[in-house]
């Protein structure tokens, strides 16, 4: 380059550099805009409501983060929480993924150090959007790694506004998934980079990415199974290389050692059935390497064949025996129920009602695929096609990631989240490749033949079209039409994403909003009303019994001890609560007294028409309670297999504790004009038992729209 | 109950007799009160006692110090005492505010009493007389009885006092009027002549009462006015010379009346508003300065959506509703914050100092504040703060770090216990501030960005790779 004297070439050079710089400038500014867009599109809830934590689990995360900021890391690590799972308590430090909290506190400390007077709540609220922005950057680099920088840019844009990801990363959704998707994609990107380069540094980075993922979310199991699977596929397809060997070994060994530092994960990497695949592949890798070496040493093919046969048989046999022994001796734990339910979607329904009762564990409906992916659903197969067209180590990875995660997304609604980055990347390849081919066609002017021949290997679509268009005069118009079509689709996608974000995914679920009679917005803030009442007006050590859904919120907002909460680690305890709720009052009071409960909290939507209340969840309480205590039988609460609360309801239903607590004095209440008193608006029926009498409990508080009702347990009568 | 009252009365009577005896030996005081009229207003939980005294100097020398006596319990609940001298006759009266200070009488007081001295503006000559008006304000003085009530019951309270005014002087004639909020009076002790008309009970007139004479009485009556008390209010006023004053008030509100007992029924509360939860309250009104902006009302767990703000050019009113209605003993904590334009409250004094002129008080109307702390956060770099408050307060200095602060801001902390709305008045904080400090933070930000870009440029131009 230095030896270029001619002024013309100098000029050319500077010109070329200029376009390159322009390209860089455009790329950087697009990335910056995408970065900002990803952040601000998640702020709908903050603007529409307020800067608050959403849903259920984030309240626990917020509470622990608060604890971490106030008491420091060591106290947090050793924290035994007396306020939940009364009387058992919970070892919080050992039963959570600390990544999210540590991240938030780190951001908080940095901001504080830079003299920004922020509150930890604001940091928590904005953590998920911040990480979503970072994810777009990773998506760009990932796209660049597997295809080209154009695909990377498209991937960044697609993932920035994809509803499947936004659903878990809006401002206020302070949950593990918020940072975990970033960690997941980062780990994959760095691992692919390590496989492509064979560099120890990238491999080390992927080990650290994996460590961060393990510290943040239980979904790390996906990584530790997908990567070995990928390696296995590469081995089978004969793509074994030294790069792969370096990348996988370093990542696996270091990642495993680092992951063991997380207390909740502990020795699972060597003891649990879910992690055994990775170990198996690790040993296989060594055998492969060894064989390779032997092959290199032995020049005789026949000898090598014999050796190969013996070694492989021995290796498989030793591995099988080790696994069998481990399983039998109980050293290697079998697969957990959650894992089974992934492989067999009907498993949870039959065996673990507590998993099946969670709405986000249901199999995905087609409509929600459409809702969350929109045009990506059609671009995904197209992208797969392009990937297969240009097969490389990287594209094999993304294809496998896409296919497996799509399967999991079909099994469980919440796993759409894991599939989203893959779908975005693969779709980005489709979009980028198509648009590139079309524009090349447009810009080629008269050199159609040349383009066709050079592009023959890359984009077959364009080449075939080019060849086709040679004979047709409308080639350019066709390309223009197709381009417009693509932009139309993409703009539809952008509109759809914004609409979904604004309408479906930005409501905090703790504050309910409805339209009033005059089109004005009515806010039902009953949850916080009740929790704040608990916080201010009950004794400090009061124990509150409610269904587990509200446990985290009661401890975080009400600051009171709960019997069960959303960390559903003890099925029996939850079943006890379910049993109490589904028994007659005098039986229930025995259970309630034995649990030392002071207040019972129920959620009731009959006045406002709020449908996700305890009456609608009641059958799950019966099922979960009945799963442990056979005294509770589901058919007792049903009439001809039908669940009803009106006059035709089962007698046990009309007199169980939950029914009584929800409908206490509801019979006097006129909810809707022209309907009899005691008309339940959530279920649209007049209730069957209007004269509810309580003997051992008394109404302590009911919120203004009746959504939360709290009852006080009366002290036992004096004996005389 | 009966026995308790009897015991109290006997005790008081013995005391009375004893006092009567002792008081003879107390040093001759110069004044005689020729006429005393007392009006006690019990309509809310803040008790106003208006005392009109006609004081006559019967001594030989001119004197200017009139002594008031109060029982120790009264002093414990006393929020403020204020005295006015009335001059002129009939319609042309003018009043002059007089200084009142707590004092100790030099000789052993014959009764367990605390004293306040009123300093007259002009000494009263021998034989002359003047009219004084004294206002006492008491808080937490009504005792709910029964102490716990159910939702449908209304709140009954006891008021204890003496029918005769406690005074170190001889009172020639005195009358006491007690005004109750409604005609529902369960019982009251009669000290003849006693008359009850409508909502008023009249004790007296009593003639020629010797010094330190008392006659305990009580009134047991219905009082359903909201016993809203702010246990603690921390009001932070942050001055920014960029044009804004940010006021943040942290409230701990409590219903200090009879405690709520048993069930809270929403059906009853919603359908029978008047007979149910009569003593509870839902709405509070805060009066904010005019031109207020960005008002918020929230608590630890988020925004409270039930509030209305009405603004006009003279004043702003914020109607707030706690998350739940407050029954006896229930608590609520919340934060009210708002911004104000700087030029309305910050002025420059003649000696090149600046001063903030702000209301010392609680924006909530008619509220007793047990402990009021006002923190004035001065801008970073301001020096020699000095507060000027019209009544005695405790004051100290603190430091606070806000956004982008390096050396911290000076905070002037003013504390006042037992604050009643009558205390509302303006106070000033003087300080010196060099406007150059205003530029510190923008410059810091600008230089940080500059450094960042320089680092970027440097990074692009330096080749860090090991291999060539």
């Amino acid at each position: 380059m230095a030896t270029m004297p001619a002024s013309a070439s100098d000029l050319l050079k500077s010109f070329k550099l200029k376009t390159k710089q322009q390209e860089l400038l455009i790329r950087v500014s697009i990335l910056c805009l995408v970065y900002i867009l990803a952040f601000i599109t998640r702020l709908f809830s903050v603007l529409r409501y307020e800067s608050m934590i959403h849903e259920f689990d984030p309240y626990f995360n917020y509470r622990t983060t608060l604890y971490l900021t106030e008491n420091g890391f060591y106290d947090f690590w050793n924290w035994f929480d007396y306020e939940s799972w009364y009387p058992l308590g919970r070892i919080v430090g050992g039963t959570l993924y600390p990544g999210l909290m540590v991240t938030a506190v780190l951001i908080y400390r940095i901001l504080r150090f830079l003299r920004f007077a922020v509150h930890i709540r604001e940091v928590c609220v904005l953590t998920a959007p911040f990480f979503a922005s970072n994810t777009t950057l990773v998506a760009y680099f990932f796209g660049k790694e597997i295809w080209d920088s154009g695909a990377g840019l498209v991937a960044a844009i697609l993932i920035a506004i994809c509803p499947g990801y936004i659903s878990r990363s809006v401002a206020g959704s302070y949950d593990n998934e918020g940072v975990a998707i970033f960690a997941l994609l980062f780990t994959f990107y760095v691992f692919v980079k390590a496989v492509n380069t064979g560099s120890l540094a990238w491999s080390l980075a992927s080990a650290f990415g994996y460590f961060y993922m393990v510290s943040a979310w239980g979904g790390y199991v996906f990584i530790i199974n997908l990567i070995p699977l990928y390696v296995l596929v590469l081995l089978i397809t004969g793509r074994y290389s030294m790069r792969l060997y370096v990348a996988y070994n370093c990542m696996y060994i270091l990642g495993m050692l680092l992951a063991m530092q997380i207390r909740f994960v502990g020795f699972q990497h060597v003891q649990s059935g879910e992690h055994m695949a990775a170990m198996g592949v690790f040993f296989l890798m060594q055998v492969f390497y060894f064989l390779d070496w032997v092959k290199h040493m032995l020049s005789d093919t026949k000898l090598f064949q014999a050796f190969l046969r013996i070694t492989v048989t021995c290796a498989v046999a030793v591995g099988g025996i080790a696994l069998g022994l481990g399983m039998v001796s109980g050293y290697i734990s079998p697969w957990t129920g959650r894992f089974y339910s992934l492989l067999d979607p009907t498993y949870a329904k039959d065996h673990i009602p507590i998993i099946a009762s969670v709405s986000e564990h249901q199999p995905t409906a087609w409509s929600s695929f459409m809702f969350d992916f929109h045009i990506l659903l059609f671009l995904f197969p197209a992208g797969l096609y392009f990937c297969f067209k240009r097969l490389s180590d990287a594209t094999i990875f993304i294809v496998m990631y896409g296919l497996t995660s799509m399967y999991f997304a079909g099994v469980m609604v919440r796993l759409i989240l894991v599939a989203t980055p893959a779908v975005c990347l693969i779709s980005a390849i489709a979009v980028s490749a198509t648009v590139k081919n079309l524009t090349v066609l447009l810009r080629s002017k008269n050199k159609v033949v040349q383009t066709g021949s050079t592009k023959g290997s890359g984009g077959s679509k364009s080449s075939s079209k080019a060849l086709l268009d040679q004979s047709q005069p409308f080639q350019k118009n066709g390309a223009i039409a197709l381009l417009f079509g693509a932009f139309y689709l993409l703009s539809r996608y952008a509109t759809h994403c914004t609409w979904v974000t604004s309408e479906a995914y930005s409501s905090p679920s703790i504050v309910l909003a409805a339209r009033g009679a005059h089109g004005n917005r009515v806010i039902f803030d009953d949850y916080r009303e009740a929790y704040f009442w608990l916080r201010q007006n009950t004794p400090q050590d009061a124990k509150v019994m409610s269904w587990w859904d509200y446990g985290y919120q009661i401890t975080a907002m009400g600051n009171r001890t709960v019997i069960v909460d959303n960390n559903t680690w003890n099925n029996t305890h939850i079943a006890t609560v379910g049993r109490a709720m589904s028994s007659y009052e005098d039986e229930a009071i025995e259970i309630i007294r034995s649990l030392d409960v002071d207040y019972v909290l129920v959620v009731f939507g009959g006045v406002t028409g709020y449908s996700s209340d305890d009456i609608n969840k009641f059958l799950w309480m019966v099922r979960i309670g009945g799963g442990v205590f056979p005294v509770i039988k589901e058919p007792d609460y049903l009439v001809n297999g039908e669940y009803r609360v009106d006059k035709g309801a089962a007698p046990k239903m009309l007199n169980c504790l939950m029914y009584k607590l929800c409908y206490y004095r509801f019979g006097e209440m006129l909810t809707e004009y022209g309907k009899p008193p005691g008309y339940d608006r959530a279920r649209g029926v007049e209730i069957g038992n209007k004269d509810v009498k309580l003997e051992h409990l008394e109404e302590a508080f009911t919120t203004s729209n009746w959504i939360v009702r709290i009852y006080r347990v009366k002290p036992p009568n004096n004996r005389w | 109950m009966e026995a308790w009252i009897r015991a109290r009365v006997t005790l008081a009577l013995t005391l009375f007799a004893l006092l009567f005896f002792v008081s003879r030996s107390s040093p001759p005081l110069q004044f005689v009160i020729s006429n005393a009229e007392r009006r006690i207003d019990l309509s809310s939980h803040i008790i106003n006692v208006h005392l009109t005294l006609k004081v006559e100097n019967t001594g030989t020398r001119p004197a200017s110090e009139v002594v008031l006596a109060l029982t120790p319990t009264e002093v414990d609940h006393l929020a403020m005492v204020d005295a006015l001298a009335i001059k002129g006759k009939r319609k042309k009266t003018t009043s002059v505010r007089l200084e009142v200070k707590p004092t100790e009488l030099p000789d052993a007081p014959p009764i367990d009493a605390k004293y306040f001295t009123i300093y007259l503006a002009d000494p009263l000559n021998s034989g002359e007389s003047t009219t004084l008006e004294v206002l006492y304000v008491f808080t937490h003085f009504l005792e709910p009885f029964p102490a716990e009530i159910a939702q449908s019951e209304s709140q009954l309270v006891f008021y204890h006092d003496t029918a005769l005014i406690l005074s170190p002087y001889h009172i020639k004639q005195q009358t006491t009027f007690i005004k109750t909020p409604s005609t529902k009076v369960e019982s009251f002790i009669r000290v003849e002549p006693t008359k009850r008309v409508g909502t008023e009970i009249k004790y007296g007139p009593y003639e020629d009462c010797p010094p330190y004479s008392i006659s305990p009485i009580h009134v047991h009556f219905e009082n359903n006015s909201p016993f809203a008390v702010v246990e603690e209010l921390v009001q932070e006023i942050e001055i920014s010379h960029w044009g804004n004053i940010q006021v943040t008030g942290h409230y701990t509100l409590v219903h200090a009346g009879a405690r709520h007992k048993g069930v809270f029924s929403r059906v009853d509360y919603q359908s029978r508003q008047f007979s149910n939860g009569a003593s509870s309250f839902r709405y509070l009104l805060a009066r904010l300065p005019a031109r207020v902006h960005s008002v918020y009302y929230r608590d630890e767990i988020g925004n409270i959506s039930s509030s209305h703000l009405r603004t006009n050019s003279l004043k702003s009113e914020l109607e707030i509703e706690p998350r739940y209605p407050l029954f006896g003993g229930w608590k609520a904590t919340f934060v009210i914050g708002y911004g104000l334009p700087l030029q309305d409250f910050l002025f420059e004094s003649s000696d090149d100092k600046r001063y903030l002129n702000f209301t010392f008080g609680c924006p909530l109307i008619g509220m007793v504040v047990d402990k009021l702390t006002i923190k004035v956060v001065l801008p970073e770099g301001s020096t020699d703060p000095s507060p000027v408050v019209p009544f005695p307060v405790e004051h100290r200095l603190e430091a606070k770090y806000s956004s982008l602060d390096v050396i911290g801001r000076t905070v002037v902390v003013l504390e006042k216990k037992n604050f009643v709305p009558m205390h509302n008045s303006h106070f000033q904080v003087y300080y010196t501030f060099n406007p150059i400090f205003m530029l510190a933070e923008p410059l810091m930000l600008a230089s940080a960005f500059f450094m960042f870009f320089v680092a970027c440029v440097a990074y692009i131009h330096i080749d860090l790779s090991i291999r060539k």
Side-chain angles (χ1 to χ4, degrees), chain B residues 178-199:
Chain B
I178 298 181
K179 189 168 172 285
T180 55
S182 70
T183 51
K184 282 187 191 160
V185 177
E186 293 282 303
S187 69
F188 62 99
I189 285 185
R190 290 177 169 272
V191 180
E192 292 305 336
T194 305
K195 210 162 55 178
R196 188 184 151 209
V197 182
T199 60

Side-chain angles (χ1 to χ4, degrees), chain A residues 69-90:
Chain A
T69 27
E70 281 162 7
N71 299 299
F73 188 73
Y74 286 100
D75 273 358
F76 170 70
W77 209 229
N78 296 321
W79 183 17
F80 186 86
D81 182 15
Y82 298 95
E83 285 199 3
S84 54
W85 292 94
Y86 185 85
L88 310 171
R90 175 181 175 189

Side-chain angles (χ1 to χ4, degrees), chain A residues 50 115 536-537 665 702, chain B residues 266 268 303 331 333 404-405:
Chain A
E50 57 183 284
R115 296 273 182 245
Q536 298 283 343
N537 302 312
R665 297 199 71 181
T702 298
Chain B
R266 182 62 75 169
D268 292 340
N303 188 41
K331 272 189 185 183
T333 54
L404 298 174
D405 284 354

Side-chain angles (χ1 to χ4, degrees), chain B residues 144-163:
Chain B
F145 190 87
E148 288 192 336
I149 54 169
Q151 189 182 346
S152 58
E153 292 170 338
S154 64
Q155 176 172 270
L156 299 173
V157 291
F158 262 124
Y159 173 70
H160 300 286
D161 202 347
T162 120

Side-chain angles (χ1 to χ4, degrees), chain A residues 21 35 150-151 153 193 220 305 314 378 415 437 534 550 600 641:
Chain A
Q21 278 174 338
Y35 194 86
L153 275 184
K193 186 105 183 163
Y220 75 90
Q305 286 292 334
C314 286
F378 305 109
L415 292 182
N437 290 342
L534 276 177
Y550 316 108
V600 182

Side-chain angles (χ1 to χ4, degrees), chain A residues 11-12 52 202 250 619 717:
Chain A
L11 197 74
L12 196 75
M52 67 186 291
W202 286 114
C250 174
L619 272 192
N717 286 331

Side-chain angles (χ1 to χ4, degrees), chain A residues 314-559:
Chain A
C314 286
V316 170
V318 167
I321 289 167
L323 193 69
L325 277 180
M327 288 288 210
V328 169
S329 63
Y331 180 77
I332 297 172
S333 64
W335 288 353
T336 57
R338 275 169 212 258
F339 202 74
Y340 270 122
S341 61
L342 273 184
L343 300 179
D344 174 12
T346 55
Y347 179 82
K349 209 177 157 199
D350 301 334
H351 296 89
I352 333 167
I354 201 147
I355 289 182
S357 76
V358 182
S359 62
E360 62 185 19
H361 290 166
Q362 304 300 321
T364 318
W366 264 110
S367 58
S368 57
F369 271 117
M370 196 57 210
F371 198 64
D372 278 356
F373 289 139
H374 199 238
I375 61 161
L376 304 188
L377 213 53
F378 305 109
L379 291 174
F380 180 68
L384 284 182
Y385 167 77
F386 280 110
C387 286
F388 276 113
K389 267 301 191 196
R390 205 173 98 183
L391 221 49
S392 68
D393 288 358
T395 47
I396 288 178
F397 181 83
I398 196 70
V399 165
M400 288 188 55
Y401 175 25
L403 290 177
T404 47
S405 62
M406 260 318 219
Y407 167 72
F408 290 130
V411 174
M412 258 192 206
V413 179
R414 69 188 291 203
L415 292 182
I416 281 192
L417 180 72
V418 176
T420 305
V423 172
C424 285
L425 279 164
I426 293 176
S427 308
I429 291 171
V431 172
S432 172
T434 314
V435 171
K436 200 170 190 176
N437 290 342
L438 289 175
T439 45
V440 163
L441 197 68
L442 271 184
R443 295 174 72 177
S444 62
K445 292 180 184 165
N446 298 322
K447 291 176 265 173
V448 178
V449 184
Q450 200 189 344
T451 319
S453 59
T454 49
K455 279 281 153 187
S457 56
S460 74
K461 210 174 189 176
S462 85
S463 72
S464 62
K465 202 168 280 160
L467 289 171
L468 202 76
D469 288 349
Q470 249 181 319
S471 54
Q472 288 177 359
F474 305 118
Q475 44 156 333
K476 275 198 174 174
N477 295 346
I480 289 173
L482 280 175
L483 263 184
F484 272 108
F487 284 121
Y488 174 74
L489 272 183
L490 289 174
S491 65
R492 292 305 303 166
Y493 173 71
T495 333
H496 171 81
C497 291
T498 318
W499 176 78
V500 168
T501 313
S502 131
E503 294 297 317
Y505 291 142
S506 292
S507 107
S509 94
I510 191 101
V511 179
L512 312 167
R515 292 259 166 244
H518 308 291
N520 53 326
R521 201 165 69 132
V522 186
I523 282 186
F524 299 131
D525 203 357
D526 286 41
Y527 280 109
R528 288 193 295 184
E529 182 182 340
Y531 298 144
F532 206 64
W533 183 85
L534 276 177
R535 188 189 188 103
Q536 298 283 343
N537 302 312
T538 56
Q540 269 287 320
D541 58 347
K543 270 77 75 180
V544 183
M545 182 173 95
S546 71
W547 191 234
W548 60 266
D549 295 22
Y550 316 108
Y552 278 166
Q553 292 182 346
I554 294 172
T555 38
M557 284 194 271
N559 196 16

